[in-house]
Amino acid sequence: MAESKTPNKNAEQLITEHLDIWTTAIEQKSSSGRGSSKKFSLHGIKKLRELILELAVRGKLVPQDPKDSSPQQALRDSIDKKSALINDGVIKKSRSKKNIKDEHFYSYPSSWSTARLEELLNVINGRAYKKAEMLTSGTPILRVGNLFTSNDWYYSDLQLEPEKYIDDGDLIYAWSASFGPFIWNGGKVIYHYHIWKMDIYSGKALDKDFSKLFLAAISERIKASGNGIAMIHMTKERMEKVVHPLPPIEEQQRIVAKVDELMGLCDALEAQTENSISAHQTLVEVLLEALLKAPEQTATPEQSTVQFQQNWQRLSEHFDTLFTTTASIDTLKQTILQLAVMGKLVPQNPNDEPAAKLLERIAAEKAQLIKDKKIKKQKPLPEITDEEKPFELPNGWAWTRFYDLFKYKQGLQIGIAGQYSKKGNGHVRYLRITDFRNDEDIRFIPSSAQDVYCDEKDLLMIRYGGTAGEVVSGKKGIFHNNMFRIDFDERLLSTEYVSIYLSLDTTRGKLLGLSTSSTMPQISHKVMNLALLSLPPLEEQHRIVSKVDELMALCDQLKARLTDTQTTKLHLTDAIVEQAL
């Protein structure tokens, strides 16, 4: 369908008038899963790129010129050349089913023409390969994964007909699982079955770079309408019935040049925005690192405290302007936790009972348990050396090994699916690692093993796998073998302070560093026993927890405000795009 609408707004205007929206509409990404290590995506610039493509293929990016050649005549030239190739036996006549409808995606200016894709391009299937045919040397086999994510290549020593190879400059299209067009520039290769080679019949009718723009613009729609459940794909017969826009060849070339220019601007905006985000994060880290630095050797404890309080005061006065990204707020949270366990977050009280006295009572109770044969005497661990201590402690604090404070209880392994129940029915909830992230698949087991039971306040540490060293809590039930419960005397040690210490990235990093596993990270009881904890007086532990709660609430307020602002900007971006189209 055609329309006589001229470009509604200059593309450069769309960029410059909304520059702040394009560059600040940032979407936070989930920290879980594989893929890019970036914790954000530049949603605004991504939408701007999509908008440029949409405007281009709808005829709204550059003005039409009545002096341009006739696209209708160019289409006849393309059809004639296709017919000649069929008559000469070079290509076969399409055998697509007659009941496949033409697929329209857009309306176009009245000066444009349209054609089925099969009238402009010869869509050629790649070749499927048996495993035995995929070798370690020979001619490279280009698969869909090589176009998107994978650098792993297979090779072939087969001698194939010319149309089963592609070379530099060929237009191709990936059509299974991942979708998209490419101008190939990787030398001569064989292309796999899930890739089409798309040969243009007439260069007077179609510019391959313009066709690539159109195919890129419609790829998400193609994927959404594709067949398959396990793997989405598009059929060749349906692809051939896609209605392809056909502007005058001169306008196609102007469109391609303008898109290249504007995508270059997007590249510059993207680099500038990423550099700005990186510079901001570096600034935040430098400022926060200054709080963690050891005082000068000549400074007295009182001078060090005063200096820290001054630095903290200066930083806190600029929270709203400094902590404007999720990454910076997360860094602030970790810094607060680190300051807490270093004794810098709250002042010391000389009237508090020193931590050394706590350790004496803990040692006495442990000795009594050994004497009563309730626990076994273990081989003593080495003394803590000065090299092991990561920082100096305030007066009244003490370094101790986890061994002196904690006991560990490994969870229950349930290996038979039939033992699970979806309902309680008097059974006990069975807690797996995933249950601490969501409640989508609750399971129960018929067990009375109370020694592997936890309540909401108990601290569990994941001991194996990619999340080894992470501490979870807040659930009641029997916990999985992949975790152990950390037990200690709550009369001598605050659960909340222990949680703060174990939640530190530095603590987890130390535990993983002590792990001897060469494959998946694994934290054993021995690894836990060797780790160090900075122990404050019990009264100070409670003051620290109270201060941490206060500051974490502030961080959460900052993050909530940031989320609201980002959501508004994302909606604004989408609205601008919708209005422009």
Side-chain angles (χ1 to χ4, degrees), residues 158-169:
L158 297 174
Q159 298 299 312
L160 305 173
E161 53 271 28
E163 63 265 24
K164 297 304 179 185
Y165 296 89
I166 60 172
D167 211 332
D168 292 346

Side-chain angles (χ1 to χ4, degrees), residues 442-468:
I442 297 176
R443 297 183 180 186
F444 297 86
I445 55 173
S447 176
S448 59
Q450 295 301 313
D451 58 336
V452 288
Y453 184 84
C454 68
D455 62 26
E456 292 91 344
K457 284 192 67 178
D458 282 326
L459 302 178
L460 304 175
M461 179 171 283
I462 300 170
R463 65 182 192 87
Y464 182 78
T467 54

Side-chain angles (χ1 to χ4, degrees), residues 332-452:
L332 175 60
K333 283 187 171 185
Q334 278 295 311
T335 303
I336 290 168
L337 298 182
Q338 187 67 50
L339 291 170
V341 304
M342 293 174 73
K344 290 188 171 188
L345 206 56
V346 299
Q348 280 70 52
N349 186 339
N351 297 322
D352 289 344
E353 181 186 48
K357 293 290 185 182
L358 284 178
L359 291 174
E360 287 177 7
R361 291 211 300 278
I362 292 170
E365 290 192 8
K366 185 177 285 189
Q368 187 61 48
L369 290 172
I370 293 171
K371 184 178 179 180
D372 296 341
K373 298 184 179 180
K374 292 183 179 179
I375 62 173
K376 293 181 180 180
K377 185 175 182 178
Q378 293 184 322
K379 184 179 178 181
L381 295 178
E383 292 290 327
I384 299 172
T385 65
D386 289 340
E387 289 74 19
E388 287 182 274
K389 299 173 184 177
F391 46 83
E392 291 293 327
L393 295 179
N395 292 331
W397 289 48
W399 283 110
T400 181
R401 295 198 188 277
F402 283 14
Y403 167 78
D404 296 322
L405 304 172
F406 305 141
K407 293 185 293 183
Y408 320 104
K409 181 61 185 179
Q410 200 161 304
L412 184 67
Q413 177 68 56
I414 300 293
I416 303 173
Q419 291 184 276
Y420 294 132
S421 171
K422 293 290 184 180
K423 296 182 179 180
N425 297 330
H427 294 177
V428 180
R429 183 170 181 182
Y430 185 54
L431 295 169
R432 298 154 299 156
I433 293 173
T434 54
D435 292 322
F436 290 92
R437 292 167 174 77
N438 60 67
D439 284 318
E440 294 176 0
D441 185 22
I442 297 176
R443 297 183 180 186
F444 297 86
I445 55 173
S447 176
S448 59
Q450 295 301 313
D451 58 336
V452 288

Side-chain angles (χ1 to χ4, degrees), residues 58-91:
R58 292 183 185 207
K60 297 181 179 183
L61 194 62
V62 301
Q64 282 72 53
D65 187 341
K67 297 177 183 177
D68 287 342
S69 60
S70 166
Q72 291 80 12
Q73 179 58 49
L75 174 58
R76 286 193 290 273
D77 182 67
S78 179
I79 293 172
D80 289 345
K81 288 191 174 181
K82 177 182 178 181
S83 298
L85 290 171
I86 293 172
N87 292 335
D88 293 343
V90 177
I91 63 173

Side-chain angles (χ1 to χ4, degrees), residues 152-196:
D152 297 328
W153 286 80
Y154 288 101
Y155 300 84
S156 172
D157 60 359
L158 297 174
Q159 298 299 312
L160 305 173
E161 53 271 28
E163 63 265 24
K164 297 304 179 185
Y165 296 89
I166 60 172
D167 211 332
D168 292 346
D170 283 336
L171 175 63
I172 59 175
Y173 192 87
W175 57 269
S176 180
S178 296
F179 285 68
F182 297 85
I183 304 292
W184 180 246
N185 193 31
K188 186 177 180 180
V189 296
I190 302 168
Y191 58 105
H192 190 264
Y193 177 67
H194 289 149
I195 297 170
W196 290 317

